[in-house]
Amino acid sequence: MSAKFQSRAAVTAIGSYVPQGLITNADLERMVDTNDEWIVRRTGIRKRHRAGENEFTSDLATAAVRDLTERYGVSVSDADGIIVATTTPDMPFPSVASQVQKAFGMDRAMAVDLNAACAGFVTGLQMANGLILTGAYRKILVIGAETLTKITDYTDRTTCVLFGDGAGALLVEAADTGSFLSTFAATEGSGGHHVYLTGLSNLWEGQALPGQGKLVQNGREVYKWAVSSIPDAIRELTENAGLRLEELDWLVPHSANMRIVEAICERLQFPAERALESVVENGNTSAASIPLALDAAVRAGKLKPGHLVALFGFGSGLTQSGAVIRWTAGNGREA
Ligand SMILES: CC(C)(COP(=O)(O)OP(=O)(O)OC[C@H]1O[C@@H](n2cnc3c(N)ncnc32)[C@H](O)[C@@H]1OP(=O)(O)O)[C@@H](O)C(=O)NCCC(=O)NCCS
């Protein structure tokens, strides 16, 4: 029998930021052999945001935290942890998290970047819940931030239509009753070569990889893996929270592609209008996609305190990370 799931960490505030620059479908038509109709039909994406040449992931992460502090009227200078989920840090080190620390002056904070690709943000939330449960931490910022346009190959029409830049941040604080009701994690390292960015190694099991510093993806394989494995994982995650799927107010799968979001809902027989997404207006923003979807719903007055939400990230690795939470942040206008 598994031990009873515990949580002493509540979500108390949210913020987000997307850069000013845009890449529209019409822009992409001028770069590669594609068209708006194909992109919308196969992905749902209408535009993506693009960071400026001198704008990096730490700038987006910092702006998302500033949005959180301003909307909720809270200070984060006493936060004792900063976890940044990203696959596109400004540089391998120092971490993006340490640059967020510099901007807000939490001088007694653990600052760490984590890479679980598009599953990174929910992985960060799971870690924050665990760290707070130890009693050693009380106030942790969990941020998903990406500048994927800097690693996108704008000569490859199968990937360049998908990715965009953005950041979202949640504040997670010690509380008698935590927000987390269950978590899920799974990894399938043998599928790692389906979506990758070369780094210190440009070999996969002895074979040279074609990409150099650019994201390479076998979209069809990733699509099949996502649609065949994720619905069951979401079922298990929800059951472990002691809930039936229909009791969830919102489902927030990683916004990889609107067709994947719809296919997951269809297989779960979950109403698609209760899925929160960020892909139509932002493209696939990897670790930022789930907090961007949550914040759009908060700003629209859809996601409210008390709502039950299943978050489910999945991506390169291949990684999966889920959590059922009870939403406990207000609408952000209390400031
Ligand atoms: C990438 C993706 C949108 C492609 O959609 P798809 O319906 O699977 O399309 P396919 O790859 O089967 O390609 C179908 C055709 O469209 C073409 N095509 C691919 N990209 C195109 C584009 N941007 N514009 C026009 N045609 C395109 C292909 O060349 C192919 O042509 P062919 O039949 O003549 O060979 C889709 O596979 C996907 O979203 N995969 C998952 C990606 C993902 O989630 N990644 C993130 C992991 S976190």
Side-chain angles (χ1 to χ4, degrees), residues 253-257 261 276-279 283-286 289-290 293 314:
H254 164 49
S255 267
N257 174 334
V261 173
L276 300 179
E277 58 80 25
S278 59
V279 70
N284 177 344
T285 55
S286 190
S289 95
I290 288 177
F314 55 88

Side-chain angles (χ1 to χ4, degrees), residues 12-84:
T12 56
I14 186 166
S16 64
Y17 175 78
V18 288
Q20 302 270 301
L22 285 182
I23 305 177
T24 63
N25 293 350
D27 294 331
L28 289 162
E29 284 178 10
R30 288 188 283 274
M31 295 181 206
V32 287
D33 180 13
T34 192
N35 57 75
D36 176 61
E37 191 270 332
W38 190 96
I39 300 171
V40 172
R41 184 162 43 84
R42 302 282 184 130
T43 73
I45 301 169
R46 298 200 174 269
K47 65 178 171 63
R48 319 106 194 102
H49 293 265
R50 181 180 212 162
E53 210 179 319
N54 295 317
E55 194 177 19
F56 295 94
T57 296
S58 63
D59 300 310
L60 274 54
T62 301
V65 174
R66 186 159 297 120
D67 178 52
L68 177 154
T69 58
E70 288 173 1
R71 279 164 55 203
Y72 287 81
V74 293
S75 164
V76 292
S77 60
D78 58 342
D80 46 21
I82 309 158
I83 299 174
V84 179

Side-chain angles (χ1 to χ4, degrees), residues 33-34 38 42-43 118 157-158 161-162 217 219-220 222-223 254 256-257 259-260 284 314-315:
D33 180 13
T34 192
W38 190 96
R42 302 282 184 130
T43 73
C118 309
R157 71 174 181 173
T158 69
V161 299
L162 298 172
Q217 172 176 257
R220 213 173 288 185
V222 177
Y223 188 94
H254 164 49
N257 174 334
R259 267 172 59 219
I260 297 184
N284 177 344
F314 55 88

Side-chain angles (χ1 to χ4, degrees), residues 11-306:
V11 170
T12 56
I14 186 166
S16 64
Y17 175 78
V18 288
Q20 302 270 301
L22 285 182
I23 305 177
T24 63
N25 293 350
D27 294 331
L28 289 162
E29 284 178 10
R30 288 188 283 274
M31 295 181 206
V32 287
D33 180 13
T34 192
N35 57 75
D36 176 61
E37 191 270 332
W38 190 96
I39 300 171
V40 172
R41 184 162 43 84
R42 302 282 184 130
T43 73
I45 301 169
R46 298 200 174 269
K47 65 178 171 63
R48 319 106 194 102
H49 293 265
R50 181 180 212 162
E53 210 179 319
N54 295 317
E55 194 177 19
F56 295 94
T57 296
S58 63
D59 300 310
L60 274 54
T62 301
V65 174
R66 186 159 297 120
D67 178 52
L68 177 154
T69 58
E70 288 173 1
R71 279 164 55 203
Y72 287 81
V74 293
S75 164
V76 292
S77 60
D78 58 342
D80 46 21
I82 309 158
I83 299 174
V84 179
T86 186
T87 55
T88 46
D90 306 16
M91 53 190 77
F93 56 85
S95 66
V96 174
S98 68
Q99 299 309 292
V100 174
Q101 181 281 325
K102 185 176 75 177
F104 295 95
M106 321 82 155
D107 50 8
R108 296 299 299 269
M110 172 197 69
V112 63
D113 290 0
L114 80 85
N115 175 356
C118 309
F121 182 75
V122 182
T123 305
L125 287 180
Q126 293 200 31
M127 289 179 174
N129 183 49
L131 289 169
I132 289 173
L133 199 57
T134 67
Y137 292 85
R138 296 194 58 79
K139 188 169 179 178
I140 300 180
L141 275 168
V142 181
I143 303 164
E146 301 282 7
T147 46
L148 293 168
T149 61
K150 294 186 192 293
I151 59 162
T152 297
D153 177 357
Y154 287 98
T155 66
D156 176 2
R157 71 174 181 173
T158 69
T159 56
C160 73
V161 299
L162 298 172
F163 298 100
D165 302 338
L170 282 190
L171 188 60
V172 182
E173 297 187 69
D176 290 341
T177 308
S179 293
F180 294 78
L181 305 182
S182 67
T183 58
F184 177 94
T187 305
E188 196 176 314
S190 59
H193 57 290
H194 291 318
V195 45
Y196 64 85
L197 171 72
T198 49
L200 297 180
S201 164
N202 60 0
L203 296 175
W204 189 278
E205 291 171 354
Q207 302 289 311
L209 295 171
Q212 288 293 334
K214 294 289 176 211
L215 190 156
V216 180
Q217 172 176 257
N218 183 338
R220 213 173 288 185
E221 286 301 324
V222 177
Y223 188 94
K224 276 197 300 202
W225 164 77
V227 171
S228 65
S229 62
I230 286 159
D232 283 345
I234 293 174
R235 259 193 210 98
E236 183 180 327
L237 169 73
T238 309
E239 273 169 29
N240 286 344
L243 297 171
R244 285 173 287 118
L245 276 169
E246 54 269 33
E247 291 180 276
L248 294 172
D249 293 288
W250 304 105
L251 174 61
V252 197
H254 164 49
S255 267
N257 174 334
M258 202 55 210
R259 267 172 59 219
I260 297 184
V261 173
E262 285 163 359
I264 290 172
C265 289
E266 198 178 306
R267 274 160 212 236
L268 290 172
Q269 297 183 298
F270 188 84
E273 59 277 13
R274 283 189 5 232
L276 300 179
E277 58 80 25
S278 59
V279 70
V280 172
E281 297 294 314
N282 303 285
N284 177 344
T285 55
S286 190
S289 95
I290 288 177
L292 284 177
L294 289 170
D295 201 21
V298 167
R299 287 169 190 264
K302 288 159 72 174
L303 174 56
K304 299 199 171 100

